[in-house]
Structures are given as C-alpha cells and as structure tokens.
Amino acid sequence: MHDSEKMVLVLSRICASFNDAEKNISILKDISFSIPTGAFVSIIGPSGAGKSTLMRVILDLVPHTSGDIVRNFSRPAMVFQNYALFPWLTTLDNVAFGLRMDGMGRKDRERVAREKLKEVGLEHLESHYPAALSGGQRQRIGLARALAISPDLLIMDEPFSNLDTITSEELKADLIKIWRSYGMTVLMVNHLIPDTIELSDQVIVMGANPGHIEKILDVDLVRPRDVRDTKFFKQVDLLTESIRAIS
C-alpha cells in the first residue's frame, strides 16, 4: 500500500451487501486498492462484479458494511453511462446544474457552463434540449457538467458503451486532453480492453459473485499511446488473458 497522503483514494478491505427477501447478498468482498493523485485508473471485469456499486460506495452514495475508505478529495464528479441529463433543461442549464446547487448566481454559472461547453465542442448547442441531441453529444454534456465544478476526482461509468466507434474515438481524445489540462484524477469503469490500455496508468481487474479484485496491472507505456505498436498489443493481450481467466 502506498503512503495514503499521496493518494487521492485508499480502500482497505471494503465489503458491501444488501438484504433480499430476508437473505443477505454480498456485492463486494475485501476490496483494497489505492489511487495516486493525478492518475488515470480503469476498473474492468465481468457483469456482476459490482463495478458500478463500487463507484457509488466511493462517492458515499451507497453504504459499505465493513472496511475503511480514505477520501483525499473534496470535489468529486461522476459521468454516467446513461447520461443522466434532465430532459426539461437546456444544454446550458444541464451543465450549470451543479453550480446552481452550489448556490452560484445565474450570470456566473452560465459563464462557467459556456466555458465548459466550449471545451467539449458544444458551445453552439447551448439552447438545445437533450431529446434533440445524439448520444455522443449527450455524453459530452455530461462531461461538461462534471467539469463545471472543477473536480479533483472524476468518476466515469462506462462512458463509451453507448457510442459509435468514431464518436468514441473523438471523446477519448478530448478526455485525455482534459485530464492533462485539469491535472485531476480519473477513475473509469470500462469493458473495452483496447480503450482501457490506451487511457490508463493502472487497471484494476475485478471478478464477480461477489465482486472482488483479481489483479491490478500497471500499464507501462509512454504517452501518447500508439495503438499500432507491438508493446500496446502485448498489454492488450495480457489484460485479455486476465479477463478470460476469470470468465
């Protein structure tokens, strides 16, 4: 375990469960890992591994039954797989929503929201409603909303899963630029192995029933990552074998 003062997040033997028809069902068992400040870490594993539940435990949205969590962050934000936009709000108001909840005045929050929309290339759509936007545009709005609060920890729950290949590639490139620019820590749930290797400093491989950690892999590749390089393919193969071993 690393020095916790240098970590944005430290989990020690985290367990979580819920009661169903008077039966206690374990969701997470003995989850332990630490994330260095400023790192890009991905979590990957089969369905039922409790990845999304783990994200909510980290954010204290779901209680854990045992174990310890050290949270050295103060401004977490989350980008959801299903976008989680408010259909009755415009793009601008969706991005400004967190700032509104923080009590920021309309003029200031709209200024910040416009800045973030420009960062994700959607400044021309500020008056549109979610129903009129594509999946990729909705995901970018979710990212802009998260960035608006200047997070020190950004959690992303399978952000590329509902996107086509071209849109996904564009969003990945923008995400890397934003991560470098903000210097924040990113924790991402993913199921796409090449994307995981392309983006991550470290990969946490989870198994299921209950969710547990099988392996933690360091991705020792220089940035920017060359997805056609043999070293990249070796890392993809290594992670693929790790996933196959637990499937």
Side-chain angles (χ1 to χ4, degrees), residues 3 12 26 30 33 47 69 93 107 109 128 141 175 191 199-200 213 243 245:
D3 182 354
S12 301
S26 178
D30 292 337
F33 63 82
S47 177
I69 302 178
D93 288 338
K107 184 177 180 179
R109 70 175 182 258
H128 287 58
I141 293 170
L175 178 58
H191 70 279
L199 295 169
S200 309
I213 293 179
I243 297 296

Side-chain angles (χ1 to χ4, degrees), residues 71-241:
R71 300 179 176 93
N72 290 326
F73 54 84
S74 58
R75 301 284 290 179
M78 187 165 182
V79 177
F80 298 88
Q81 178 182 357
N82 62 353
Y83 319 128
L85 302 179
F86 300 108
W88 60 88
L89 296 181
T90 64
T91 293
L92 186 68
D93 288 338
N94 263 291
V95 175
F97 182 80
L99 301 174
R100 179 184 175 187
M101 293 298 99
D102 282 347
M104 183 179 289
R106 172 175 288 276
K107 184 177 180 179
D108 286 336
R109 70 175 182 258
E110 288 186 349
R111 173 183 54 80
V112 173
R114 288 190 174 98
E115 290 174 357
K116 302 312 170 185
L117 281 172
K118 187 175 182 180
E119 287 184 19
V120 300
L122 293 182
E123 65 271 23
H124 59 295
L125 298 177
E126 69 170 56
S127 62
H128 287 58
Y129 288 87
L133 304 175
S134 68
Q137 290 168 336
R138 294 179 193 180
Q139 193 61 285
R140 287 175 182 271
I141 293 170
L143 177 58
R145 179 178 58 189
L147 296 175
I149 68 167
S150 298
D152 48 3
L153 174 65
L154 178 64
I155 292 180
M156 308 185 78
D157 191 358
E158 300 199 24
F160 311 118
S161 62
N162 293 327
L163 306 180
D164 61 78
T165 301
I166 294 175
T167 303
S168 176
E169 289 297 321
E170 292 174 346
L171 185 57
K172 279 192 298 179
D174 288 344
L175 178 58
I176 287 294
K177 291 177 183 177
I178 289 168
W179 168 59
R180 287 174 168 170
S181 173
Y182 278 71
M184 61 187 168
T185 307
V186 176
L187 178 60
M188 180 177 69
V189 173
N190 202 356
H191 70 279
L192 302 172
I193 293 175
D195 287 355
T196 299
I197 296 300
E198 183 178 355
L199 295 169
S200 309
D201 298 314
Q202 190 177 75
V203 182
I204 299 169
V205 181
M206 292 185 66
N209 302 315
H212 61 279
I213 293 179
E214 288 279 350
K215 186 178 295 187
I216 297 179
L217 302 173
D218 292 321
V219 182
D220 188 19
L221 296 174
V222 297
R223 295 182 184 273
R225 304 270 163 84
D226 183 355
V227 298
R228 297 162 297 182
D229 187 77
T230 55
K231 292 181 180 179
F232 181 86
F233 288 121
K234 288 181 179 178
Q235 291 277 359
V236 169
D237 288 344
L238 180 62
L239 181 55
T240 300
E241 288 303 315

